[in-house]
Amino acid sequence: VLDGISTTLETDREDGRKTTLAITGAQSDVRPAGFHRGGQGPDVVFAAGSFLRGDERDRFLDLSAEQTGISSDQVHFTACTLRIAPMEVKITETLSREIGRFLADAAPGRRGLQREEAHHRKRDLHKTPPSPGTKLTVDSLTIESLEASLWLRLFLPESDFLPRALRGAIEVLGFGTQLLVVDGAKVRMGRQELGRQPGRR
């Protein structure tokens, strides 16, 4: 669920543009198979911005991008800045089961293509490579500091999406525990500047 999406576009006389995108709030729920709205509410996996603090001024996402060199085959951004508000992430056993189910469904089966199917696929192949698409160039990207609070509750024997070695290491370090619990751990990442910076070579 996204709340309060707004965009602006400014164009100057030098064939340049500045685009901004703002999202007031964001929230993601997990609704497993058999979920009914009349029963217990869904598990909230992710919340930020207005859904977390109830204040529309503390927006979930602010993105600004300065663009030059506008053409049909190239999009050139000279500078992009991204700011994301503090967020909460909650990983539960329900989410763990849904991830495991998704990975099981997404895994390819053992059956390959039959001879007739392979023949039809061969006829549809392009003889020449397709023409190149639009080129995207970003000179510099600035990501403001990120902060998240993490809640985690996993029953390790059923968390098949985690590598077996990692689950075994957690059980050893936890003196045989099969339940991994994290309550409100703070995760922070400092300001990051990627790409070419003005005045540097």
Side-chain angles (χ1 to χ4, degrees):
V1 180
L2 297 178
D3 177 37
I5 302 175
S6 63
T7 60
T8 61
L9 175 63
E10 302 176 3
T11 304
D12 61 22
R13 293 176 295 180
E14 298 180 356
D15 195 28
R17 292 180 180 177
K18 181 177 181 180
T19 305
T20 62
L21 169 66
I23 301 177
T24 303
Q27 178 173 304
S28 177
D29 304 333
V30 56
R31 300 168 185 260
F35 172 81
H36 299 287
R37 290 183 179 273
Q40 185 178 359
D43 288 342
V44 177
V45 177
F46 171 88
S50 61
F51 288 101
L52 181 61
R53 304 196 176 186
D55 188 350
E56 294 187 355
R57 293 173 298 178
D58 188 15
R59 294 192 293 264
F60 158 59
L61 182 145
D62 281 299
L63 173 65
S64 65
E66 299 179 8
Q67 179 182 356
T68 60
I70 304 170
S71 64
S72 59
D73 60 349
Q74 181 179 3
V75 179
H76 181 200
F77 292 104
T78 56
C80 297
T81 302
L82 175 65
R83 176 190 173 274
I84 300 178
M87 64 190 75
E88 289 188 357
V89 181
K90 184 179 180 182
I91 302 176
T92 63
E93 296 173 19
T94 301
L95 178 61
S96 171
R97 287 193 295 268
E98 291 302 306
I99 293 175
R101 183 179 304 175
F102 170 78
L103 294 178
D105 293 340
R110 295 183 179 181
R111 177 183 175 274
L113 293 176
Q114 300 296 325
R115 180 176 299 180
E116 184 177 349
E117 293 175 327
H119 178 70
H120 286 298
R121 292 283 185 92
K122 182 179 179 181
R123 290 190 309 174
D124 295 337
L125 292 177
H126 296 285
K127 303 299 181 182
T128 58
S131 57
T134 303
K135 180 181 179 182
L136 174 63
T137 304
V138 179
D139 287 346
S140 66
L141 171 63
T142 301
I143 304 175
E144 300 295 344
S145 58
L146 299 177
E147 180 179 334
S149 299
L150 175 65
W151 278 264
L152 180 66
R153 183 182 179 87
L154 293 178
F155 184 55
L156 294 174
E158 295 182 358
S159 303
D160 295 331
F161 66 95
L162 293 177
R164 185 183 301 273
L166 178 59
R167 284 182 286 165
I170 294 174
E171 291 185 13
V172 170
L173 295 175
F175 300 100
T177 181
Q178 293 184 326
L179 186 64
L180 176 62
V181 179
V182 177
D183 288 327
K186 298 295 183 181
V187 181
R188 293 184 177 88
M189 185 183 75
R191 188 172 187 264
Q192 303 291 319
E193 297 183 2
L194 309 175
R196 187 176 62 201
Q197 300 299 318
R200 299 182 182 178
R201 294 186 179 180

